[in-house]
Amino acid sequence: MPSVATAPPIAAIATAPGRGGVGVIRISGSRLEAIVEGLIGRPLSPRHAHFARFRAADTSAIDEGLAIFFPGPNSFTGEDVLEIQGHGGPVVLGMLLRRCIELGARHAEPGEFSKRAFLNGKLDLAQAEAVADLIDAQSEAAARSALKSLDGAFSLEVRALVDALIHLRMLVEATLDFPEEDIDFLEAADARGQLCELQAQLARVLATATQGKLLREGMHVVLIGQPNVGKSSLMNALAGEEVAIVTDIAGTTRDTVRELIQLEGVPVHVIDTAGLRATDDVVERIGIERTWAAIAKADLALLLVDSREGVTQHDLDILGRLPRELPVLRVFNKVDLTGDVPGDVARDVVHVSAKTGEGLDALRQRLLHQVGWHGDDGVFIARERHLDAIRRASAHLDQALAAYQQVELFAEELRLAQNVLNEITGEFTSDDLLGVIFSKFCIGK
Ligand SMILES: Nc1nc2c(ncn2[C@@H]2O[C@H](COP(=O)(O)OP(=O)(O)OP(=O)(O)O)[C@@H](O)[C@H]2O)c(=O)[nH]1
Ligand SMILES: [Mg+2]
């Protein structure tokens, strides 16, 4: 584990690859004096922007720009950090980075700066993950929620739960010393009531975290149906541009076409597919195989039917072949030709016209409803890992309640629930898991 005293210096280009006005190199580690001296030729006063020439080994200039030195522990990583702001060209940044390596730094691994910040206690794990989520945010709502988590909103909720658990555990552990009175004592302290309140609190955090996960990951919606029902037209209408080819020839779409749209800040990956029918056309057959592959990965399927025909036997066959657990919304398209009520609120059915746009707002609302979206008020960003921990903590509390009469079991389940919650903030997390989490970050963060 690196510490402020011994961390070997790491360096990376922190700005995105390609050309830009400014490019930033970040170096972190203990004892950066040699690098500062070799690169700039003079010491830097802490947290001041210095204009400097960045020097090669023979003291010729590689570039010029700003250098800022943040002595540890008052830095992002908690170690000494040097930030070099040069010109944002890949060649010049590459030369600067090589110079840092020459002076004793090594290339940073993905997420290594954030990992060091976590290991040095500057951020907890949920906050470190929020850094990556802020960078990866696909909508403004997702970015706002990531910042909430980075500011500690999620961690505070988790800590409140852990504190309540500790309080209850202290009560239970105390009774273990007086076995003859234990149950009475727990009754008198309303341990059961406290446990139920904890469960309710967990459920509230889970609900918010579920919204946060939606903002981070979005949902995959696949458009399926027979040829010519208007899947590609609906795709284009939802995307607001002509991303898929539309013709009146059945079997127009061969390949799956994907487009990312936003619904109230929730990223929705819409996937248009080849119409499902029996065919001898080799290319179309491959397209249909791809439709089934897309269905297997989807969170929701929209089965489009032509309003003039209604649901046919062929549609029923398609429905029968869909994975059991896949939610399906039936979309009656082309209502402009039949005069059906657009936006009809019957369960699992929506009436639209991809051509005129009628019923599309109702469809968008239905999509959001289907994934359980309630708006981003107070939502912090979250990941499946967090949701899983909250669910497991809740299962331990259920077990605790079931074991209420056996105080030792009761105490053990509370201990396990606490450990599981601590995984979220990283107070109880294996090195392997840390490796997996940080390896998904970008280099330079
Ligand atoms: N009047 C009307 N025509 C529509 C509507 N939606 C699609 N169409 C027409 O129906 C025909 C087929 O539309 P597509 O969007 O290509 O249908 P598809 O389901 O993608 O067809 P395949 O790719 O062959 O599976 C085109 O001529 C569209 O203009 C609609 O809401 N109203
Ligand atoms: Mg199509």
Side-chain angles (χ1 to χ4, degrees), residues 11-348:
I13 300 171
T15 35
R19 294 161 63 228
V22 176
V24 175
I25 294 200
R26 181 187 262 173
I27 306 137
S28 178
S30 46
R31 314 204 61 76
L32 296 187
E33 293 85 353
I35 296 182
V36 172
E37 173 58 32
L39 201 59
I40 294 159
R42 62 187 152 98
L44 301 173
S45 35
R47 290 179 295 282
H48 276 76
H50 296 263
F51 181 74
R53 293 194 147 227
F54 310 132
R55 308 199 298 192
D58 62 3
T59 72
S60 65
I62 301 172
D63 192 10
E64 58 183 26
L66 294 182
I68 310 174
F69 180 58
F70 303 89
N74 299 321
S75 67
F76 175 66
T77 57
E79 304 163 354
D80 284 356
V81 170
L82 174 64
E83 274 192 21
I84 301 289
Q85 304 181 5
H87 292 94
V91 172
V92 71
L93 285 172
M95 286 160 71
L96 277 175
L97 181 60
R98 269 201 308 283
R99 176 71 180 131
C100 296
I101 305 297
E102 200 175 84
L103 289 165
R106 69 162 167 76
H107 290 283
E109 291 163 14
E112 199 171 2
F113 292 93
S114 303
K115 187 175 183 183
R116 288 186 173 195
F118 165 67
L119 292 173
N120 290 325
K122 303 294 289 188
L123 298 167
D124 69 30
L125 194 51
Q127 289 175 305
E129 289 171 314
V131 171
D133 292 341
L134 180 57
I135 291 171
D136 291 338
Q138 301 181 73
S139 70
E140 289 182 15
R144 277 195 300 271
S145 299
L147 194 61
K148 283 208 181 80
S149 288
L150 179 56
D151 281 346
F154 188 14
S155 307
L156 270 178
E157 297 273 7
V158 174
R159 295 231 167 81
L161 284 163
V162 169
D163 286 348
L165 258 172
I166 291 173
H167 182 261
L168 187 54
R169 282 188 65 202
M170 275 163 45
L171 196 72
V172 178
E173 304 280 338
T175 67
L176 286 174
D177 299 335
F178 306 99
E180 49 307 326
E181 298 163 24
D182 50 12
I183 295 297
D184 294 345
F185 190 84
L186 288 181
E187 287 292 348
D190 191 25
R192 198 191 295 262
Q194 288 191 35
L195 195 63
C196 292
E197 176 47 38
L198 253 169
Q199 277 289 36
Q201 218 174 322
L202 262 179
R204 282 195 296 275
V205 178
L206 180 63
T208 313
T210 304
Q211 304 285 294
K213 187 195 151 198
L214 258 180
L215 277 183
R216 177 174 183 265
E217 291 168 20
M219 58 172 164
H220 289 80
V221 177
V222 65
L223 306 180
I224 58 170
Q226 298 183 58
N228 254 351
V229 290
K231 299 178 294 298
S232 302
S233 304
L234 181 60
M235 164 87 154
N236 292 345
L238 288 172
E241 57 181 310
E242 302 297 302
V243 282
I245 299 170
V246 169
T247 74
D248 57 5
I249 303 162
T252 298
T253 305
R254 305 299 183 88
D255 230 337
T256 44
V257 180
R258 288 154 200 275
E259 186 69 14
L260 178 64
I261 64 167
Q262 309 282 343
L263 296 183
E264 294 184 9
V266 178
V268 181
H269 303 265
V270 185
I271 304 146
D272 179 27
T273 64
L276 295 167
R277 65 168 172 182
T279 174
D280 292 330
D281 183 305
V282 179
V283 181
E284 194 178 353
R285 267 225 303 269
I286 296 172
I288 289 171
E289 277 168 28
R290 292 186 176 192
T291 302
W292 286 107
I295 288 171
K297 290 190 204 140
D299 301 306
L300 171 68
L302 300 191
L303 176 73
L304 266 75
V305 301
D306 188 321
S307 295
R308 291 169 298 180
E309 314 248 325
V311 177
T312 63
Q313 184 56 46
H314 192 121
D315 295 316
L316 293 176
D317 293 343
I318 295 173
L319 280 171
R321 284 189 61 192
L322 295 177
R324 240 172 227 283
E325 62 289 354
L326 178 66
V328 183
L329 205 57
R330 278 174 294 166
V331 179
F332 284 67
N333 187 31
K334 310 193 186 183
V335 290
D336 55 299
L337 300 177
T338 59
D340 286 346
V341 194
D344 191 350
V345 288
R347 222 177 113 72
D348 299 338

Side-chain angles (χ1 to χ4, degrees), residues 403-423:
Y404 190 59
Q405 301 294 330
Q406 299 143 280
V407 181
E408 280 175 13
L409 269 182
F410 185 71
E412 175 61 6
E413 292 296 342
L414 295 184
R415 188 183 70 80
L416 291 172
Q418 187 182 338
N419 284 354
V420 166
L421 285 178
N422 278 336
E423 284 176 19

